[in-house]
Amino acid sequence: KVEDVVRALDDPEPLVVSTVLTTLARMGDKAKPAIPALQKAEKKWEGLRDKKLRDPEVVKILADLKPDQRDAVTATFVE
């Protein structure tokens, strides 16, 4: 059921969340009831990423990277 899959969006393990997203994608139209939960999760992940980007140590490390390296690192900040 969609509800069972959506509950796992709150799991702290990135692999679990990735599996949830893949499962919902494969469900197609049957996964439409998951849209509000996905939007809520997206806002949460954006907030976590933004928090990391404001961390002084992270800012210092990112400043020393080339743009493509910085992009690769910050892409992982949804975890």
Side-chain angles (χ1 to χ4, degrees), residues 3 8-9 14 20 31-32 42 47-48 54 59 61 68 71 75 77:
E3 301 84 25
L9 277 173
V20 168
K32 282 186 179 181
E42 181 180 28
L48 292 172
R54 289 190 305 272
V59 170
I61 291 168
D68 59 326
D71 291 344
F77 285 1

Side-chain angles (χ1 to χ4, degrees), residues 35-76:
I35 291 173
L38 289 168
Q39 291 170 327
K40 181 180 174 183
E42 181 180 28
K43 287 180 183 179
K44 174 184 157 188
W45 298 327
E46 286 175 352
L48 292 172
R49 182 195 64 227
D50 292 346
K51 183 178 177 181
K52 285 184 182 182
L53 287 172
R54 289 190 305 272
D55 181 308
E57 289 185 39
V58 173
V59 170
K60 182 179 176 182
I61 291 168
L62 292 175
D64 293 334
L65 298 176
K66 295 178 183 176
D68 59 326
Q69 295 170 323
R70 189 171 31 250
D71 291 344
V73 171
T74 57
T76 68

Side-chain angles (χ1 to χ4, degrees), residues 1-3 24-34:
K1 290 184 173 183
V2 173
E3 301 84 25
L24 290 170
R26 288 184 178 165
M27 292 174 80
D29 286 342
K30 293 179 185 176
K32 282 186 179 181

